[in-house]
Amino acid sequence: MLPERTDMPAERVDMGGYTLIENASLANRNTLRVAARAKLLAEIRDATKLPELLDFPAVRNGRLLVLGEGSNMLFTGDFDGTVLAMETRGVHAEALATSGVQVESDGDSARIAIAAGERWDDFVRWTLGQGYAGLENLILIPGTVGAAPIQNIGAYGCEVAEFIESVEAWDIRERRVVTLDHATCAFGYRDSLFKHEPGRYIVTAVRFVLPRSRPLRTDYAGINEQLARMGVDKPAPFHVAEAVVHLRTSKLPDPMVIGNAGSFFKNPIIDAALADALKREHPGLAVWPQPDGRCKISAAWMIEAAGFKGVREGDAGISNRHALVLVNHGKASGPELWALAQRVIAGVEAKFGVRLEPEPVVIGAV
Ligand SMILES: Cc1cc2nc3c(=O)[nH]c(=O)nc-3n(C[C@H](O)[C@H](O)[C@H](O)COP(=O)(O)OP(=O)(O)OC[C@H]3O[C@@H](n4cnc5c(N)ncnc54)[C@H](O)[C@@H]3O)c2cc1C
């Protein structure tokens, strides 16, 4: 399949810095546990090799997909191109230190640059262990560091953008390494520049600025109550992290146990007048005013009110623990999961006149 270079591999070949695998299974590379294949998979261990890899005509002229842990993706078919799996992982501080972390500290805060392939949760725990604050509410989110800026991951009242100084990426269009500062990244709710220019950037590193201390965000979704149950009245960041771990594990299904991609639907952001009207008609609907005057409304509440929480069609389902979570009970295919998601979208739109958007990236032909 790669005829232009006679020394290119037939099946699985270590190219030094990256490994190429033809016709690779992606079933264990997405947390919805959907069966799918990539025409070519490149496991990237050294980002400086990207230009070489991208220069192979079969790669350059075909479709590209960057993959982290596949925790925010639904494959509805095979990928007829090259999947670039970012894989520079490390679990402990020592491992992190030898696989891409640089720290410059002035005592009160640290600037930390970390390779894209590191696991996000390992990084959060490492920062807490080093005594830095900021990422405690974002603990236990699956995925890689490189994917965190793509949808500006957020949880429990915090978004990662607040701590990102810049993002380093390989710009496929310009064919060079670029450093995109915070403003250029255009972060929004589950949104960024990277979503608006899909396929242009391969994030290779993210630079964070983390303080030693900051006001903690504990007034969100039961954190204060959990801290009280833990007997903590003067919380430190690691207490907040512990509370969030407890809350997340009690609410969200574990992808190691049942396939899912976390929240499958975004909370819609709508005009305040429409939100008022909906609230009058449905007093139970949670409405959160936004800084721009619009309102975010609860997708979970609407999905439950439309009767979808806990539904199951074959092995595709909506979690009975959390209405935002699409689950694979076993052998659901990508198209089956996507069909159920579309039924939820249609059902909510019919009842509330609001169209839900999927949060994960939906890949492949349906
Ligand atoms: C149980 C569970 C809970 C979750 N909870 C949350 C939550 O609380 N908040 C939240 O925001 N999200 C949550 N998610 C979603 C997911 O964890 C995040 O979106 C995460 O950042 C995805 O990381 P990933 O490495 O798996 O990315 P992938 O799913 O592999 O990729 C996601 C997107 O990012 C792109 N991408 C990945 N890496 C790069 C890179 N290096 N360069 C360029 N593009 C790249 C991909 O092409 C794709 O478009 C949850 C998911 C699960 C399964």
Side-chain angles (χ1 to χ4, degrees):
M1 71 167 283
L2 299 164
E4 297 82 2
R5 284 264 312 254
T6 50
D7 56 340
M8 283 296 284
E11 286 176 350
R12 179 189 176 101
V13 175
D14 185 345
M15 303 291 286
Y18 58 99
T19 299
L20 297 176
I21 306 157
E22 288 187 322
N23 190 25
S25 169
L26 301 174
N28 289 326
R29 291 177 182 269
N30 71 92
T31 60
L32 272 163
R33 305 272 173 254
V34 162
R37 302 193 85 82
K39 190 171 170 189
L40 183 68
L41 174 72
E43 296 171 342
I44 316 284
R45 294 179 302 279
D46 178 357
T48 65
K49 296 283 185 177
L50 280 171
E52 174 188 305
L53 168 63
L54 295 173
D55 234 13
F56 290 122
V59 177
R60 190 175 65 223
N61 299 329
R63 296 171 67 208
L64 283 180
L65 173 68
V66 189
L67 182 68
E69 290 184 2
S71 64
N72 209 28
M73 263 188 206
L74 170 59
F75 287 98
T76 59
D78 292 340
F79 189 76
D80 183 27
T82 304
V83 170
L84 306 174
M86 302 301 281
E87 292 194 354
T88 50
R89 297 188 179 185
V91 178
H92 304 294
E94 295 77 22
L96 292 170
T98 56
S99 62
V101 174
Q102 305 157 22
V103 181
E104 298 164 21
S105 175
D106 62 6
D108 292 334
S109 65
R111 177 175 286 121
I112 303 172
I114 176 159
E118 299 284 1
R119 292 188 64 236
W120 172 256
D121 187 51
D122 292 341
F123 174 57
V124 172
R125 288 168 196 266
W126 180 81
T127 64
L128 292 167
Q130 299 292 310
Y132 296 112
L135 303 183
E136 55 278 353
N137 294 44
L138 304 179
I139 196 164
L140 219 58
I141 298 180
T144 52
V145 168
I150 307 297
Q151 75 153 359
N152 179 19
I153 56 170
Y156 290 89
C158 291
E159 291 182 341
V160 72
E162 190 183 341
F163 304 98
I164 294 180
E165 185 185 62
S166 62
V167 171
E168 191 180 287
W170 176 260
D171 183 337
I172 293 174
R173 197 169 79 191
E174 301 281 333
R175 297 175 53 76
R176 65 188 176 94
V177 175
V178 291
T179 299
L180 306 162
D181 64 18
H182 180 94
T184 307
C185 291
F187 292 115
Y189 167 63
R190 300 294 181 275
D191 197 23
S192 72
L193 162 82
F194 307 103
K195 286 203 146 184
H196 295 274
E197 299 207 39
R200 175 164 176 187
Y201 298 105
I202 302 169
V203 174
T204 52
V206 183
R207 181 166 277 108
F208 295 84
V209 174
L210 295 178
R212 282 278 177 207
S213 71
R214 68 190 287 270
L216 296 172
R217 183 85 208 261
T218 61
D219 59 339
Y220 201 88
I223 298 180
N224 273 329
E225 294 76 357
Q226 180 57 28
L227 288 168
R229 280 193 290 275
M230 287 158 51
V232 176
D233 54 2
K234 289 198 179 64
F238 67 88
H239 291 120
V240 176
E242 194 183 327
V244 170
V245 166
H246 182 91
L247 292 167
R248 288 185 70 99
T249 46
S250 63
K251 281 186 189 156
L252 283 173
D254 180 352
M256 297 304 285
V257 178
I258 183 165
N260 75 87
S263 299
F264 196 86
F265 303 97
K266 292 194 218 177
N267 287 320
I269 298 182
I270 59 174
D271 285 343
L274 177 57
D276 282 350
L278 281 171
K279 183 82 182 166
R280 272 196 302 278
E281 204 178 330
H282 308 281
L285 175 67
V287 175
W288 301 283
Q290 298 298 288
D292 65 2
R294 294 184 300 162
C295 290
K296 193 193 280 182
I297 59 173
S298 169
W301 192 89
M302 291 190 290
I303 292 168
E304 188 168 353
F308 287 103
K309 190 175 181 184
V311 298
R312 180 168 176 172
E313 294 177 4
D315 273 351
I318 298 294
S319 170
N320 55 14
R321 290 168 71 183
H322 201 309
L324 286 184
V325 182
L326 184 71
V327 291
N328 185 352
H329 288 283
K331 291 197 164 29
S333 67
E336 285 166 349
L337 288 163
W338 184 225
L340 176 57
Q342 285 175 308
R343 273 195 285 287
V344 172
I345 291 170
V348 167
E349 189 167 22
K351 190 171 171 66
F352 297 98
V354 175
R355 190 161 178 84
L356 296 179
E357 277 181 35
E359 188 181 298
V361 186
V362 182
I363 307 278
V366 185

